[in-house]
Amino acid sequence: MGIGTHGMRHRRWTGLNAEDLREELVEAKDKLEQIMGMPIDEAACPFGGYDRRVLTALRNAGYARIYTSDEGPAPEDVLIQPRNTIRRKHDLADIKRITSDTPCGIRKIVRDVKLKLKQLR
């Protein structure tokens, strides 16, 4: 099991000024590293929100993996890792679909464009 950060105060990172973003990404990381005695290089964006500025700050702070709420497949070799939400109402068939669904065709194109635009804003 890995340990990562979710920020210092669970605030939406996309709207923070530079000082508050530093507290969420750098200071939270530093505190966890001191407590754990090991490097922390994974972060999960509160509310799944991110933009180009947040991604740049995360990279500059030394994060190797960033978890979002974008849903979909999560290849191991990419920086941005989508997470999938499993809810109480989901049955086993729903969970299998959610965890194994790999978009293809027009669904893949639409999803890829959406994710790229989100990273560029």
Side-chain angles (χ1 to χ4, degrees), residues 10-68:
H10 199 260
R11 297 181 281 185
R12 187 174 303 278
W13 295 343
T14 54
L16 297 177
N17 63 40
E19 181 180 325
D20 289 340
L21 187 58
R22 184 182 189 295
E23 178 185 36
E24 294 295 318
L25 305 185
V26 177
E27 292 179 28
K29 179 180 190 292
D30 289 346
K31 282 191 177 191
L32 271 177
E33 288 176 339
Q34 290 171 18
I35 292 166
M36 299 307 301
M38 60 184 267
I40 301 296
D41 65 356
E42 296 185 355
C45 302
F47 313 102
Y50 63 94
D51 56 18
R52 178 177 24 182
R53 184 173 146 266
V54 169
L55 291 176
T56 299
L58 285 160
R59 284 185 195 103
N60 290 343
Y63 291 97
R65 185 153 292 159
I66 303 161
Y67 296 93
T68 70

Side-chain angles (χ1 to χ4, degrees), residues 18-116:
E19 181 180 325
D20 289 340
L21 187 58
R22 184 182 189 295
E23 178 185 36
E24 294 295 318
L25 305 185
V26 177
E27 292 179 28
K29 179 180 190 292
D30 289 346
K31 282 191 177 191
L32 271 177
E33 288 176 339
Q34 290 171 18
I35 292 166
M36 299 307 301
M38 60 184 267
I40 301 296
D41 65 356
E42 296 185 355
C45 302
F47 313 102
Y50 63 94
D51 56 18
R52 178 177 24 182
R53 184 173 146 266
V54 169
L55 291 176
T56 299
L58 285 160
R59 284 185 195 103
N60 290 343
Y63 291 97
R65 185 153 292 159
I66 303 161
Y67 296 93
T68 70
S69 296
D70 290 324
E71 299 185 340
E76 287 187 39
D77 61 342
V78 297
L79 173 70
I80 300 172
Q81 295 285 304
R83 292 178 297 171
N84 296 284
T85 302
I86 305 296
R87 302 199 184 280
R88 172 184 263 170
K89 67 180 183 178
H90 292 138
D91 61 18
L92 187 56
D94 292 328
I95 294 170
K96 282 183 179 180
R97 179 186 47 75
I98 289 166
T99 58
S100 65
D101 185 29
T102 302
C104 59
I106 192 71
R107 278 184 56 222
K108 180 176 182 355
I109 293 168
V110 169
R111 180 178 187 281
D112 290 350
V113 168
K114 175 184 159 191
L115 294 177
K116 189 52 75 179

